[in-house]
Amino acid sequence: MSKVRHNPWGNVFKELWLRVVNTFNSIPFIAFFGAGILFVGGVGIWLPYLSAIISGEKNASFLESTNVFTYSFAILGTLCVDIILNNQRTTKDFLSLGIIFGVIALGCCVVGYLTTKTGSSILLNLGTLLTLVIFICANVNDEKFDNNITQADLGPTGYREADLSKIKDGEGHE
């Protein structure tokens, strides 16, 4: 008898879409990503450029390949360690898709760096952008980015108080 596998693509793309939407629905995550990952984590990218501009260098490169490569490699490495230590936050199919795109991002970064060691590499920047998207998808649903309302604060209906005017029977009557 042949084995018939369930087609996971619909669920994977639905999960991906929900995570992208959750990115914009969480002000704490936007703050964490903008301030922590881009600003503080990316200091090795923007600070050398800013220093070069301040010191008057004419040929300063904003997305210098070495700096962008180490930034992207550090994020991908951190995501790999997170997968090894704790992979219970996501479905196996979604995790597998993340690994596939992580390998693609790493490949883009390595090839982009090896072909353009000084200056800015489009392929490396594309790999880094993909790395950041993977980071967002891997971390946006973390509970630390949820609002402060816990299930204990809510009643059995899932709300703080039941609104009797909104309770209707199966026919739509009150």
Side-chain angles (χ1 to χ4, degrees), residues 1-147:
M1 187 161 150
S2 294
K3 184 176 188 177
V4 178
R5 285 199 169 104
H6 165 74
N7 184 353
W9 291 104
N11 290 337
V12 168
F13 287 123
K14 181 180 177 184
E15 179 71 19
L16 180 63
W17 177 250
L18 289 174
R19 288 177 186 239
V20 169
V21 169
N22 281 346
T23 301
F24 300 103
N25 288 339
S26 174
I27 295 173
F29 181 77
I30 292 170
F32 168 77
F33 185 75
I37 303 305
L38 294 179
F39 184 72
V40 175
V43 71
I45 294 173
W46 59 264
L47 188 60
Y49 177 72
L50 185 64
S51 289
I53 295 298
I54 290 172
S55 66
E57 288 185 34
K58 301 279 185 205
N59 57 355
S61 177
F62 175 55
L63 296 171
E64 184 66 37
S65 290
T66 304
N67 303 344
V68 175
F69 179 74
T70 56
Y71 176 68
S72 183
F73 194 79
I75 292 174
L76 286 171
T78 303
L79 288 171
C80 286
V81 170
D82 189 43
I83 288 170
I84 292 167
L85 295 178
N86 183 13
N87 64 356
Q88 297 149 350
R89 290 185 291 164
T90 187
T91 66
K92 192 174 191 177
D93 293 325
F94 194 73
L95 178 64
S96 299
L97 186 66
I99 292 171
I100 291 168
F101 279 106
V103 169
I104 292 170
L106 181 61
C108 288
C109 290
V110 168
V111 171
Y113 174 69
L114 292 176
T115 58
T116 311
K117 290 188 178 181
T118 58
S120 183
S121 166
I122 293 172
L123 191 58
L124 178 56
N125 294 338
L126 180 67
T128 302
L129 181 64
L130 185 56
T131 298
L132 292 173
V133 170
I134 295 167
F135 181 86
I136 289 170
C137 290
N139 290 290
V140 71
N141 283 350
D142 195 318
E143 292 179 4
K144 66 184 171 193
F145 302 117
D146 292 341
N147 59 19

Side-chain angles (χ1 to χ4, degrees), residues 150-172:
T150 63
Q151 190 63 34
D153 295 334
L154 305 176
T157 61
Y159 299 95
R160 288 188 179 168
E161 296 178 17
D163 186 356
L164 295 177
S165 67
K166 294 183 179 178
I167 298 175
K168 302 182 185 301
D169 65 13
E171 305 276 323

